[in-house]
Amino acid sequence: MARRITLEPTGSGTAPENLTVDYRAELNDQQYAAATANPGALLIVAGAGTGKTRTLVYRLSYLVETGLDPRSIVLLTFTRRAARDMMTRAASLLDGRCQRVRGGTFHSFCMQLLRTHAPALNLSPDFTILDASDAADVLSMLRTRGGYPDRADRFPNKGTLQSMFSDTVNRDRSLSEALNDRYPQFTHLHDDLRELQDTYRAYKAEHHMLDFDDLLRRTHELLSQNDTVRQQVAARCRHVLVDEYQDTNAVQADLVQQFTSVHGNVTAVGDDAQSIYRFRGADFRNIFRFPKQYDNARVLKLEQNYRSTQPILDLANHLIDHANRSYDKTLFSDADTGDLPAIVPAADTAMEARFVGQMVAQLREQGVPLRDQAVLFRSSHNSYDVEIELGKRNIPYVKYGGTKLSEAAHIKDVLAHLRVAENPDDAAAWNRILQLIHGIGPKTAQDLIDWLTDDDHSAFVVDEQGHFAQRYLDTLTQLLNTLRSIRPDEQPLTEQMEAVLTYYRPLFEEAYPDDYPKRESDLEHLAPLAARYDSRQRFLADLTLDPIELTALDQEGATDDEAPLVLSTIHSAKGLEFHSVFLIHALDGTLPSQYALDEPGGLDEELRLLYVAVTRAEENLFISYPMLQTSRYYGDTMASRSRFLENVPESILEPVELVEAPPESTSDALPESPEPEALPTPDDDNTSAPKSDLSEPEDGLPF
């Protein structure tokens, strides 16, 4: 065994006396301890609203100011925007050196590593990336080609197959384990599914494609099986900062260990109480395993909340105390006064919507802008009645948690053309753009793909030997000419985009005859987005890895004088804050979801989801639910409030009764806002705006 000599730490050790930033003055005691901690393994358990991002920014600044080369620091987040914003804030705090930190999402960082070290995996560095729907389409094609539906009465559909195979990667387990745990109805198909999974992997390799999970899996494979590469990568990672550590999956947690295997310096920040992405493979247990996985790991807590009033925090603390497992922390605030959170039962969904609409208007009249108010819900369809009510009252709103830009069919059409130009072997993209042509169906498309991706074929040229039908030959020729013109990535990306759109628009109108004028506005956003990039490859990767919501684009180009009210799923609202929050449809069977009741750990995750919703509120929190639900299948049924809200003392959660105005006070106009004594009213002077979540290109440097 080799003799070991332990080197004394350099940089970020004992703080010099001439630091530019006065960390002691700028941070509270808990934040200061975390930001200036010595090198090694550090876990910062940061409660909601306790200045997690601020602490991580000061930690980053401190590491740079005490001698660490910023190019040797890796900042891993779950959105590019989060990484870029942290580096920008650190740069404004210290200086431009912080902009040289290597920052980005796990997937984008792994993508850069794979492009750099592709030969070590016999991988083409020009691979393209499949999003979840692309991956499902490929599986659908392979499923049909292999005749799998003919082998069983009920074979999984493409979406289930994609989720199933993704589960094996994100949870680092075998197909058998995934089937037994989540898909027991398909356990008898194990051998067929195993065969299809192997076929899928081989097909991706043949056509130089990776899906989301491959970015993590292949990087883990690279570092685990090639010790030389692992040491090269880890040697450049002198300190790794990880945001939202509670949202990491099994592979990501292992990758952090690989990245830090040389220097052993890691700062992970997270909150076990805000782990709500189990459906994506996130494992909140990672944050509990951290102290055991790293030698001499320190665990520090952030508990002083700067967002919410103490009555709101009392409810949050009460809820999370009922979790089966959590770090012992109690949120507290200097804002120890304020109205109690309100629980508001409504007769039905229509009354609940009227309550929300009326209170939103009333709050606006009292000085709380719409942009500082939010309506949150478990699932997107929960807000339909509220949306109708807001429309009646002419209250503008924006809804988050819907379709992403790169998930919209017409946007995927355009991007598929660019993907083929980038990687002519991308069979999934070829399949999409070929079937846009009238006269080309799945069988003809597959024959053309085999011909177009043949090694002996000259790309994007219709030769005389090809067997083409006249019904599509002219359009196919036009397509190949367009692709050939943009194949070299030398002309500006906006010009490439315009060439594709010129070819695509006639097909677009034919493919979406009912609503193409509405979809047209989405296409208009593509050129400005493309103008931010000087690389087609990076543009495609960014839109795939960190997509923008269509509703966010709508707001980016809006010219309304008044910023809109925010409607959002709880998942999409994580990280945001609002003066006043309305949590609607707080029903048992909705929150918690009925499906969660049958999954191990599902109930605890739903409790954490409620905790996240509650802690978005700064001063006002209204939790409502309809006592009567109407279903097309079951008619009218009585409903119960969420089990998480049963038996909460009235000293923590105040009951509010909705009362109809007397008949003589009604008219054909919209009802005036009543002023029931039980309803909380806000202070007029607190109008802090919610944070935006638009995605833009990251500035982090790849390896």
Side-chain angles (χ1 to χ4, degrees):
M1 181 177 179
R3 191 160 53 121
R4 303 181 69 182
I5 299 176
T6 302
L7 298 179
E8 296 178 358
T10 60
S12 66
T14 303
E17 298 179 357
N18 59 343
L19 293 178
T20 302
V21 180
D22 189 347
Y23 297 90
R24 173 65 73 181
E26 295 292 330
L27 303 170
N28 68 34
D29 290 343
Q30 290 181 327
Q31 293 171 339
Y32 176 79
T36 62
N38 288 332
L42 172 67
L43 174 64
I44 304 172
V45 180
T50 57
K52 166 186 71 71
T53 300
R54 179 180 177 83
T55 303
L56 199 54
V57 166
Y58 275 81
R59 176 67 167 163
L60 176 58
S61 170
Y62 185 80
L63 291 174
V64 173
E65 192 169 11
T66 53
L68 210 56
D69 183 344
R71 294 170 298 182
S72 68
I73 300 174
V74 175
L75 174 61
L76 296 174
T77 65
F78 281 84
T79 66
R80 295 191 319 277
R81 187 179 189 278
R84 192 192 64 254
D85 284 355
M86 284 188 216
M87 291 186 289
T88 299
R89 287 175 59 180
S92 65
L93 186 67
L94 183 58
D95 54 46
R97 287 176 292 170
C98 296
Q99 290 282 21
R100 304 205 303 270
V101 168
R102 303 178 190 274
T105 65
F106 274 93
H107 288 87
S108 64
F109 188 68
C110 288
M111 178 192 69
Q112 296 294 344
L113 290 177
L114 289 175
R115 292 205 193 279
T116 300
H117 300 283
L121 288 171
N122 294 319
L123 180 68
S124 169
D126 296 326
F127 60 81
T128 51
I129 304 169
L130 303 174
D131 65 16
S133 63
D134 293 328
D137 287 342
V138 172
L139 284 166
S140 178
M141 182 269 294
L142 296 176
R143 173 180 180 270
T144 301
R145 179 190 287 185
Y148 292 98
D150 299 331
R151 305 185 193 180
D153 293 335
R154 185 186 172 200
F155 201 81
N157 62 32
K158 64 178 184 179
T160 301
L161 289 170
Q162 190 277 328
S163 298
M164 183 186 299
F165 296 160
S166 179
D167 180 88
T168 64
V169 177
N170 288 319
R171 300 179 192 270
D172 192 24
R173 58 184 180 178
S174 68
L175 179 61
S176 295
E177 292 171 324
L179 290 174
N180 290 330
D181 181 25
R182 300 189 67 189
Y183 307 96
Q185 69 272 33
F186 297 125
T187 52
H188 65 290
L189 299 174
H190 174 273
D191 291 346
D192 285 344
L193 291 168
R194 174 85 263 180
E195 181 182 67
L196 179 57
Q197 188 177 38
D198 290 341
T199 301
Y200 174 54
R201 287 178 176 172
Y203 190 83
K204 287 183 293 182
E206 178 185 355
H207 295 281
H208 310 301
M209 301 182 297
L210 298 181
D211 60 27
F212 278 3
D213 302 318
D214 290 327
L215 295 173
L216 303 180
R217 180 180 65 85
R218 297 305 301 274
T219 302
H220 189 271
E221 176 187 337
L222 171 71
L223 301 181
S224 299
Q225 299 180 6
N226 193 316
D227 203 50
T228 300
V229 173
R230 179 192 60 79
Q231 291 188 26
Q232 289 176 356
V233 171
R236 296 180 180 179
C237 301
R238 294 191 66 87
H239 203 114
V240 177
L241 304 171
V242 188
D243 191 21
E244 306 286 10
Y245 192 75
Q246 79 281 350
D247 292 333
T248 55
N249 61 31
V251 181
Q252 287 165 328
D254 284 345
L255 284 171
V256 173
Q257 285 194 286
Q258 298 278 16
F259 297 153
T260 60
S261 58
V262 171
H263 298 291
N265 297 320
V266 55
T267 298
V269 183
D271 182 6
D272 55 288
Q274 296 189 71
S275 179
I276 59 174
Y277 295 110
R278 186 170 178 267
F279 65 96
R280 296 181 186 169
D283 188 348
F284 81 105
R285 293 174 298 181
N286 286 342
I287 202 168
F288 295 106
R289 295 176 180 134
F290 185 96
K292 300 177 182 178
Q293 290 176 320
Y294 294 92
D295 294 336
N296 302 315
R298 297 179 62 191
V299 179
L300 300 178
K301 301 175 186 177
L302 303 182
E303 297 170 294
Q304 183 172 358
N305 180 283
Y306 292 92
R307 175 187 302 155
S308 307
T309 62
Q310 191 60 50
I312 292 173
L313 297 181
D314 289 341
L315 175 59
N317 289 329
H318 176 87
L319 292 172
I320 208 63
D321 281 345
H322 290 78
N324 286 329
R325 186 178 186 185
S326 64
Y327 275 103
D328 182 19
K329 60 182 181 299
T330 301
L331 297 180
F332 66 92
S333 171
D334 287 340
D336 55 0
T337 60
D339 292 308
L340 291 176
I343 182 72
V344 187
D348 52 28
T349 55
M351 177 179 276
E352 181 182 39
R354 286 171 54 205
F355 159 71
V356 172
Q358 177 176 300
M359 282 302 301
V360 166
Q362 184 173 316
L363 286 165
R364 179 170 58 174
E365 289 299 316
Q366 294 174 354
V368 184
L370 292 179
R371 68 176 182 272
D372 293 343
Q373 303 182 51
V375 181
L376 306 183
F377 33 85
R378 176 65 175 82
S379 301
S380 184
H381 64 270
N382 297 148
S383 68
Y384 291 164
D385 287 280
V386 170
E387 292 177 55
I388 293 172
E389 181 67 24
L390 294 174
K392 292 178 181 178
R393 294 175 178 267
N394 294 318
I395 296 176
Y397 65 88
V398 57
K399 185 174 180 179
Y400 294 96
T403 303
K404 304 288 187 180
L405 177 68
S406 56
E407 294 172 349
H410 49 299
I411 300 298
K412 292 181 74 68
D413 292 344
V414 175
L415 297 181
H417 291 79
L418 296 177
R419 283 172 48 190
V420 167
E422 186 66 24
N423 173 16
D425 290 322
D426 190 334
W430 272 121
N431 188 60
R432 186 175 197 94
I433 64 179
L434 287 172
Q435 291 197 60
L436 288 170
I437 299 175
H438 181 70
I440 297 181
K443 176 62 171 63
T444 301
Q446 190 54 55
D447 291 341
L448 287 170
I449 290 170
D450 292 340
W451 171 73
L452 288 162
T453 58
D454 192 316
D455 290 339
D456 296 330
H457 175 252
S458 178
F460 312 142
V461 175
V462 176
D463 57 37
E464 295 180 357
Q465 280 73 39
H467 300 286
F468 309 106
Q470 192 61 43
R471 65 182 181 276
Y472 61 76
L473 179 58
D474 289 345
T475 309
L476 178 62
T477 302
Q478 186 182 358
L479 167 63
L480 297 182
N481 289 341
T482 300
L483 294 174
R484 190 167 61 251
S485 71
I486 67 171
R487 175 75 171 104
D489 195 17
E490 298 170 355
Q491 59 181 309
L493 188 54
T494 51
E495 293 182 12
Q496 298 180 45
M497 184 71 71
E498 190 55 44
V500 170
L501 290 174
T502 298
Y503 160 77
Y504 173 68
R505 276 195 172 92
L507 304 180
F508 162 68
E509 295 179 8
E510 184 178 338
Y512 308 99
D514 296 335
D515 61 353
Y516 75 84
K518 180 181 178 180
R519 294 173 183 259
E520 178 76 30
S521 62
D522 298 331
L523 298 181
E524 293 173 358
H525 288 297
L526 285 176
L529 282 175
R532 304 174 187 175
Y533 292 81
D534 57 6
S535 165
R536 180 175 60 212
Q537 184 183 84
R538 187 173 175 183
F539 172 71
L540 291 170
D542 281 1
L543 275 188
T544 304
L545 295 176
D546 200 6
I548 304 169
E549 290 191 359
L550 285 173
T551 49
L553 279 177
D554 292 340
Q555 289 308 305
E556 190 177 51
T559 58
D560 295 338
D561 293 334
E562 183 177 20
L565 172 74
V566 173
L567 272 60
S568 176
T569 61
I570 302 172
H571 285 97
S572 294
K574 185 172 179 289
L576 304 182
E577 55 192 47
F578 304 90
H579 179 281
S580 300
V581 168
F582 299 85
L583 175 60
I584 64 172
H585 243 63
L587 292 168
D588 217 53
T590 300
L591 186 64
S593 162
Q594 190 66 41
Y595 299 105
L597 304 181
D598 300 325
E599 292 190 5
L603 201 58
D604 248 24
E605 170 135 332
E606 295 291 298
L607 176 60
R608 296 193 295 269
L609 192 63
L610 176 58
Y611 173 90
V612 168
V614 166
T615 53
R616 299 311 93 199
E618 296 172 346
E619 295 202 20
N620 290 328
L621 174 62
F622 304 93
I623 304 175
S624 63
Y625 65 95
M627 294 182 287
L628 185 69
Q629 282 189 297
T630 301
S631 166
R632 60 182 296 188
Y633 300 108
Y634 303 108
D636 292 339
T637 57
M638 297 302 295
S640 303
R641 75 170 70 174
S642 169
R643 67 187 63 191
F644 301 138
L645 299 171
E646 293 287 354
N647 304 318
V648 178
E650 291 188 8
S651 59
I652 294 178
L653 186 61
E654 181 181 14
V656 169
E657 180 182 0
L658 297 182
V659 181
E660 293 282 4
E664 58 269 23
S665 66
T666 61
S667 68
D668 293 335
L670 291 175
E672 294 293 329
S673 300
E675 298 181 0
E677 291 184 1
L679 291 181
T681 57
D683 294 334
D684 293 340
D685 58 353
N686 191 333
T687 56
S688 58
K691 302 178 181 67
S692 172
D693 195 28
L694 300 181
S695 300
E696 296 179 2
E698 65 177 279
D699 295 320
L701 300 175
F703 278 131

